[in-house]
Amino acid sequence: MAEIEYVRPVNLKDALNFLWNHGEDTKIIAGGTDVMIDVRSGALDKKYLLDISRMDELKGIELNDQGLCVGAGVTLSEIYSSDLLESNALALKKTAYNFAGKQIRNMATIGGNVANSSPCGDTLPALSVHRAKALVADKKSTRLVPVEEMATHAYISSLSPKQIIIKFILTPYQDGFADFQKIGRRRELAVSRISMAVFAKKDKEGRIAFLKFALGACTPVPHNMELMEKFLTGKTPTRELIWEAGGLLAQKMIEITGRRSSTIYKEPAIQGLFMRMLYPVVK
Amino acid sequence: MVNIKFKINGQKKALNIHDDMTALAVIRSLLKLTGTKEGCGIGECGACTINVDGKAVNSCLMLGAQLDGTTVVTVEGLAAKDGLAPVQKAFIENHGVQCGFCTPGILMSVNALLQEIPDPGHEEISKTLAGNLCRCTGYSQIFTSVKEAARLAGQGDQHG
Ligand SMILES: Cc1cc2nc3c(=O)[nH]c(=O)nc-3n(C[C@H](O)[C@H](O)[C@H](O)COP(=O)(O)OP(=O)(O)OC[C@H]3O[C@@H](n4cnc5c(N)ncnc54)[C@H](O)[C@@H]3O)c2cc1C
Ligand code: FES
Ligand code: FES
């Protein structure tokens, strides 16, 4: 195999131009924490490595009239230290807290996490909770894609080889309870087996007034579970209610994936993790 | 081949490297700075940790070409002419080193931490070390060493 050629366009326009002509032969590299594994093992069968890690167009976190915009090139460390995300997308910020080790967080980008289309991409549940859309561009057009549609199957991205994710546009939610939880082999480094994120708000009477919930990792693509929203909204969260909701969630997971050998472990684990995550809202 | 220019441990370098080389290979094989270790090669052990523009990163997962234009510090760059850096002294005195294989990586993680947070608490130290595996010490002495390093650095035992 011929040696891989490294290219670093100076701006997004040049990068999109390059991909328009050579997309099929090109692998985009941002933080490299997924791509470098393949570069090192020789599994990468592309001619070009296109470095987008320094592109200003992909950086920055801001709240504007489009919504809460998070650049595809924003690193997990930047997410972790963002005050804007603390007050407008706490579940995403909490995701960064248990994402790999610090060295990885310093390089890994949110765009790379989503584009890699791993079912265990940790940023997906929180993005889904915030009804995030990815702004995706090629040389000739841009479009907004809901994050749940960024992967068609596990590890199969819906991006064309000519496209780059520019940013994610989230619906901001303030002043509520938010969390991200995952189960993996070891908290920091393992890939998640089960992951979930939530945002919830209670009214003055202590009932759940607003809830968004998403499940990741144990299904091939992330799911925003409107069923949980319907089941819990308007109710007073008690231990029993949350437990029941967790059971419902586990059933839904089985509906999506079918019964597998791992179901016997995942079914109670999902219910338990849901209970643990939502316990703080029990009055 | 790609041309890269960067600064490492205070020295300017201009190199012509293979496009698919890792930063770790550039540092160890081309520059012969073998203090930085290769453990797992896949981002899990932290033995290859270096500081790039002040941030701790795994050099095994960084593309060498991405070093272009950066400022790098490896373990060889910690000590000043007049002696070891506070973090190095603290690790020696508090038995933070046993076999030593993890040590260069840990020192570089801690170096970046202390630049960001001069007086880190237990949680911050723990979050920092989560990406550095040590099979020998059991970490307790490492925590003590980091706290001592922060104290020494705070006392003005500064280094270049
Ligand atoms: C030790 C270790 C621990 C890890 N822990 C976790 C963890 O806890 N949770 C987790 O979710 N992941 C984890 N990962 C996986 C990885 O770090 C993440 O998926 C990371 O977010 C990838 O981002 P990156 O910038 O490094 O992507 P890269 O490796 O640069 O790219 C990943 C993929 O996305 C494509 N791509 C990148 N940016 C764009 C863009 N803007 N537009 C279009 N395509 C793009 C690339 O072509 C490639 O296919 C871990 C990895 C390692 C090595
Ligand atoms: S050698 Fe780089 S993390 Fe193990
Ligand atoms: S001292 Fe031996 S691995 Fe840490």
Side-chain angles (χ1 to χ4, degrees):
Chain A
M1 190 189 71
E3 198 187 314
I4 296 169
E5 197 177 307
Y6 172 80
V7 264
R8 194 173 71 221
V10 289
N11 56 33
L12 181 64
K13 187 165 165 270
D14 289 1
L16 292 174
N17 261 328
F18 186 89
L19 289 176
W20 190 258
N21 298 320
H22 305 287
E24 314 287 336
D25 300 323
T26 305
K27 186 76 179 168
I28 293 173
I29 181 167
T33 60
D34 284 316
V35 172
M36 286 305 288
I37 307 276
D38 289 343
V39 170
R40 187 174 181 274
S41 70
L44 191 73
D45 56 350
K46 302 284 181 192
K47 205 165 155 210
Y48 304 102
L49 263 180
L50 179 89
D51 185 357
I52 58 166
S53 65
R54 297 185 191 187
M55 254 160 227
D56 289 338
E57 295 95 328
L58 270 48
K59 298 267 164 69
I61 303 172
E62 62 176 30
L63 191 58
N64 59 29
D65 49 6
Q66 288 183 303
L68 179 60
C69 299
V70 180
V74 167
T75 65
L76 270 295
S77 289
E78 287 162 349
I79 289 175
Y80 179 61
S81 53
S82 163
D83 294 336
L84 206 56
L85 294 182
E86 163 100 37
S87 43
N88 293 288
L90 187 56
L92 184 60
K93 186 171 165 161
K94 288 196 170 173
T95 301
Y97 191 71
N98 286 325
F99 189 108
K102 195 156 184 176
Q103 297 98 313
I104 301 276
R105 286 197 297 279
N106 281 339
M107 300 200 280
T109 65
I110 185 168
N113 196 240
V114 172
N116 199 42
S117 305
S118 156
C120 28
D122 278 352
T123 62
L124 288 161
L127 284 172
S128 180
V129 157
H130 284 269
R131 299 300 185 259
K133 295 191 171 69
L135 180 69
V136 168
D138 63 27
K139 184 184 169 172
K140 306 234 158 119
S141 63
T142 58
R143 62 191 184 108
L144 280 171
V145 186
V147 287
E148 297 86 3
E149 290 166 25
M150 288 301 292
T152 54
H153 303 281
Y155 294 103
I156 301 184
S157 166
S158 66
L159 287 171
S160 99
K162 295 179 172 34
Q163 290 177 322
I164 291 180
I165 307 173
I166 297 176
K167 62 180 169 186
F168 299 93
I169 304 175
L170 287 69
T171 310
Y173 305 136
Q174 294 105 1
D175 306 322
F177 169 78
D179 201 9
F180 167 79
Q181 290 276 342
K182 65 174 170 180
I183 297 179
R185 272 172 318 203
R186 184 183 149 215
R187 199 158 61 137
E188 263 85 10
L189 298 186
V191 291
S192 308
R193 301 280 167 82
I194 297 172
S195 60
M196 50 180 78
V198 73
F199 179 87
K201 246 176 153 159
K202 291 203 276 188
D203 61 17
K204 282 197 212 72
E205 283 72 43
R207 288 179 304 238
I208 295 178
F210 181 86
L211 182 117
K212 297 282 174 198
F213 174 84
L215 185 67
C218 42
T219 52
V221 295
H223 288 268
N224 71 54
M225 292 279 177
E226 272 165 22
L227 129 123
M228 305 309 287
E229 209 172 306
K230 292 208 180 85
F231 181 75
L232 288 168
T233 310
K235 294 188 181 140
T236 304
T238 59
R239 250 185 101 91
E240 293 70 28
L241 184 78
I242 301 295
W243 186 247
E244 199 188 331
L248 208 65
L249 178 67
Q251 287 316 307
K252 185 72 189 173
M253 182 275 297
I254 297 168
E255 235 173 75
I256 296 169
T257 60
R259 275 206 176 265
R260 302 179 184 181
S261 55
S262 61
T263 307
I264 196 157
Y265 149 73
K266 281 185 179 161
E267 191 179 354
I270 285 183
Q271 190 172 21
L273 194 66
F274 187 79
M275 182 78 180
R276 185 208 283 175
M277 183 165 78
L278 269 298
Y279 200 73
V281 303
V282 170
K283 57 178 291 185
Chain B
M1 303 289 280
V2 225
N3 287 306
I4 58 170
K5 286 196 184 110
F6 65 112
K7 210 168 158 186
I8 183 162
N9 302 333
Q11 282 184 301
K12 286 187 181 152
K13 297 279 175 196
L15 301 171
N16 196 13
I17 64 166
H18 285 290
D19 297 53
D20 61 353
M21 246 182 150
T22 63
L24 179 64
V26 171
I27 289 166
R28 283 184 59 91
S29 310
L30 292 182
L31 297 175
K32 309 285 182 218
L33 291 168
T34 52
T36 305
K37 301 298 178 215
E38 174 159 28
C40 65
I42 53 168
E44 293 191 345
C45 72
C48 65
T49 305
I50 59 170
N51 292 174
V52 177
D53 295 330
K55 293 196 176 76
V57 304
N58 293 324
S59 59
C60 72
L61 284 189
M62 184 175 182
L63 192 64
Q66 291 184 324
L67 287 170
D68 188 40
T70 64
T71 299
V72 177
V73 183
T74 65
V75 70
E76 289 89 347
L78 285 179
K81 281 196 200 70
D82 55 352
L84 293 178
V87 63
Q88 293 171 306
K89 286 184 199 159
F91 268 72
I92 295 170
E93 279 154 25
N94 295 281
H95 309 284
V97 183
Q98 281 185 27
C99 81
F101 192 80
C102 69
T103 312
I106 290 193
L107 291 178
M108 296 321 292
S109 281
V110 173
N111 188 56
L113 170 71
L114 295 181
Q115 275 167 23
E116 195 190 345
I117 308 170
D119 189 17
H122 189 87
E123 173 73 7
E124 283 148 348
I125 299 173
S126 154
K127 283 310 263 184
T128 299
L129 296 176
N132 291 89
L133 299 184
C134 173
R135 299 167 33 139
C136 304
T137 63
Y139 288 91
S140 161
Q141 298 92 318
I142 295 182
F143 275 83
T144 315
S145 305
V146 177
K147 288 188 182 137
E148 181 62 12
R151 204 183 60 81
L152 285 176
Q155 278 180 355
D157 189 349
Q158 296 294 357
H159 60 98

